[in-house]
Amino acid sequence: MLERVVFKYHDLEVKVTDYADEDMLYILNRAVQGAEGGLRFSLQNIESRIAAYEDKIRFVSLYKKNHIAGTIGSCYRITGQGKLRYPSSYLRYLAFLSSYQTDISRKRRNETIIKPEKEESFRHKTLEIFSKPHLLDIKGVFEGEKHIMYAFAESMNERAKNLLHQAGYEQIRSFLTIAFSRFSSKTSGLVTKLKKEEMPGMEAMLKDYYKDYSLFSTDYSFYNDRYYVLKEGDAIIAGVCAIPSLYKVYNVPGIWGWVMMKVLPKAPYYRRLFYPGEFRHIVFDAIYCKEGYEARLADLFESVCATEGFHTGLTWIDDRSQLFDKLRWKVKMGTLNRMLNAKPGLVYAKFINLTDEEKEYFYDAPAYISGFDFS
């Protein structure tokens, strides 16, 4: 196991580890994602997801007087193809104990808000670490190599955006949350789980489908052997990875958000779709669809939900991509998507040792938003 002190200042200490111990999991499991007034929720599957990253995750943690105060994770992978292919690190799992939050944040006594603004030394030193990925001691990452650090932020979360700007991150794209729902899902005999021997061929199809996307990786496309395909004869015409997920939702913005939080949980029929205290859903990842068969994605999604025992699915798509337009206009996504009024998410990237010409591709190409990273 890796454990290294990378910074000490008075009673503050910053460590890099390749594991999350009990103290780190304690604050991560109580972390609430999102900004005041926006969508706010907490993840409920953290420990199993961290395990799935295996040796490709590092945590940078702040300790004060030998007690943990905050942590952030960095997940390493190779992303993109062709001119978009680079070693990359995705930042997630940023959480601090309540004593490191603003007075406004303390109104919610039982939440660990994701706001690191109180510890200037930690902030600057941590950002310095993430600007030098070789300090994270991941095999194959060395000083001087080209590298992309990236993170997501809500468009309403000014603190997160300011932090990323100060760290030298640039906003390159935006994305939206898309929901799929059915009150009564039905399975289809045309939808089956992908067979082991079919995975290499499916991976090649996915790479071709997302060849023009930045940040795309197949590392978690077949997570937990839950990749489903829709076939015509022996030909795969659509596919998706289904990741069961659980959120605890604290707030959904807007008038429809009020309806979702206050009305739907009291309506027996509608609470199948959304129950904030325990929002069970499928995360759709690595979506594939043969050209011209987009409408059939609804059949695939519905059968997957029925097979897995869910009524709702979520995915996140670059809002200037062809896939976004196809899901929006050609697929009957259901009631919840019509109600959902989520604000755009923003894609931020820090380009290490890339030329201006190399950076430009990332502004023009749609970004792949990994559903696994949101589960």
Side-chain angles (χ1 to χ4, degrees):
M1 292 192 300
L2 168 69
E3 182 175 319
R4 188 171 75 242
V5 175
V6 294
F7 170 62
K8 293 189 75 170
Y9 180 76
H10 296 309
D11 58 353
L12 296 177
E13 186 175 70
V14 177
K15 293 181 182 179
V16 173
T17 65
D18 60 358
Y19 63 90
D21 61 22
E22 290 184 6
D23 291 335
M24 294 159 68
L25 289 172
Y26 176 84
I27 61 174
L28 288 172
N29 283 320
R30 286 157 181 78
V32 176
Q33 312 283 333
E36 294 289 340
L39 178 64
R40 305 184 72 251
F41 64 95
S42 59
L43 299 167
Q44 305 295 300
N45 313 292
I46 290 176
E47 192 165 359
S48 61
R49 297 298 185 263
I50 290 175
Y53 286 117
E54 297 180 337
D55 63 344
K56 294 182 179 180
I57 190 167
R58 297 292 183 269
F59 289 93
V60 178
S61 303
L62 169 69
Y63 292 82
K64 186 171 184 179
K65 297 180 180 179
N66 296 320
H67 295 288
I68 193 166
T71 191
I72 180 173
S74 175
C75 311
Y76 175 78
R77 73 274 307 252
I78 302 293
T79 63
Q81 299 170 79
K83 294 179 179 179
L84 297 166
R85 181 179 172 84
Y86 290 95
S88 306
S89 296
Y90 166 58
L91 304 187
R92 68 172 306 185
Y93 296 133
L94 175 58
F96 271 69
L97 291 177
S98 58
S99 58
Y100 289 82
Q101 299 158 34
T102 63
D103 292 335
I104 293 176
S105 300
R106 292 192 188 106
K107 291 179 181 178
R108 288 182 167 88
R109 296 292 181 179
N110 296 323
E111 299 176 6
T112 306
I113 312 301
I114 307 175
K115 294 179 179 178
E117 66 274 12
K118 284 294 183 181
E119 285 299 339
E120 294 295 327
S121 297
F122 173 72
R123 180 176 66 181
H124 293 300
K125 288 297 180 180
T126 298
L127 295 177
E128 180 181 332
I129 291 169
F130 287 128
S131 297
K132 299 176 180 178
H134 69 285
L135 294 176
L136 298 174
D137 196 26
I138 298 176
K139 185 178 181 181
V141 182
F142 302 102
E143 186 173 13
E145 283 193 350
K146 295 180 179 182
H147 198 96
I148 297 168
M149 315 292 293
Y150 68 98
F152 305 134
E154 289 182 79
S155 55
M156 295 178 61
N157 195 333
E158 296 299 327
R159 292 186 184 277
K161 292 191 294 182
N162 289 338
L163 176 63
L164 290 167
H165 281 303
Q166 291 174 29
Y169 283 69
E170 307 169 34
Q171 182 194 332
I172 59 171
R173 302 290 294 192
S174 57
F175 62 94
L176 284 170
T177 304
I178 297 178
F180 175 87
S181 62
R182 292 292 187 269
F183 289 110
S184 297
S185 301
K186 297 180 180 179
T187 58
S188 168
L190 300 177
V191 175
T192 59
K193 273 190 178 181
L194 188 72
K195 299 175 182 177
K196 290 279 189 183
E197 58 268 26
E198 296 176 311
M199 285 186 180
M202 190 70 240
E203 183 175 15
M205 293 166 68
L206 285 169
K207 286 182 176 179
D208 182 65
Y209 193 69
Y210 291 102
K211 63 180 181 296
D212 298 323
Y213 281 66
S214 67
L215 310 180
F216 175 71
S217 168
T218 58
D219 284 3
Y220 308 101
S221 295
F222 307 111
Y223 174 67
N224 210 19
D225 293 326
R226 276 192 164 97
Y227 199 91
Y228 290 83
V229 292
L230 173 63
K231 293 183 177 181
E232 276 198 355
D234 293 328
I236 295 173
I237 61 173
V240 68
C241 180
I243 306 173
S245 191
L246 180 65
Y247 292 173
K248 183 176 181 180
V249 181
Y250 298 94
N251 184 67
V252 180
I255 183 63
W256 281 116
W258 179 87
V259 172
M260 292 170 66
M261 293 295 293
K262 302 298 183 182
V263 178
L264 297 194
K266 298 178 181 178
Y269 203 51
Y270 281 88
R271 67 185 294 168
R272 296 181 185 180
L273 307 184
F274 182 80
Y275 185 72
E278 191 176 82
F279 177 38
R280 299 177 64 254
H281 58 282
I282 289 287
V283 167
F284 293 136
D285 196 16
I287 297 171
Y288 167 81
C289 187
K290 187 176 180 179
E291 184 72 27
Y293 289 86
E294 288 79 16
R296 301 291 301 279
L297 281 170
D299 300 330
L300 173 65
F301 293 162
E302 179 175 348
S303 185
V304 168
C305 284
T307 301
E308 294 286 345
F310 292 79
H311 294 279
T312 302
L314 294 181
T315 191
W316 295 265
I317 309 290
D318 186 302
D319 55 13
R320 287 181 287 156
S321 66
Q322 290 186 12
L323 180 56
F324 177 80
D325 290 337
K326 290 173 181 178
L327 289 176
R328 186 176 184 182
W329 300 112
K330 296 185 178 182
V331 184
K332 295 180 179 178
M333 298 299 288
T335 301
L336 193 62
N337 196 54
R338 293 193 293 271
M339 298 177 66
L340 192 65
N341 186 30
K343 301 299 181 182
L346 306 177
V347 183
Y348 281 87
K350 183 177 178 68
F351 302 105
I352 300 173
N353 298 320
L354 273 68
T355 66
D356 290 339
E357 183 180 356
E358 290 169 329
K359 294 178 186 178
E360 198 62 34
Y361 292 112
F362 288 83
Y363 286 89
D364 296 333
Y368 181 78
I369 314 300
S370 167
F372 178 83
D373 291 330
F374 274 80
S375 68

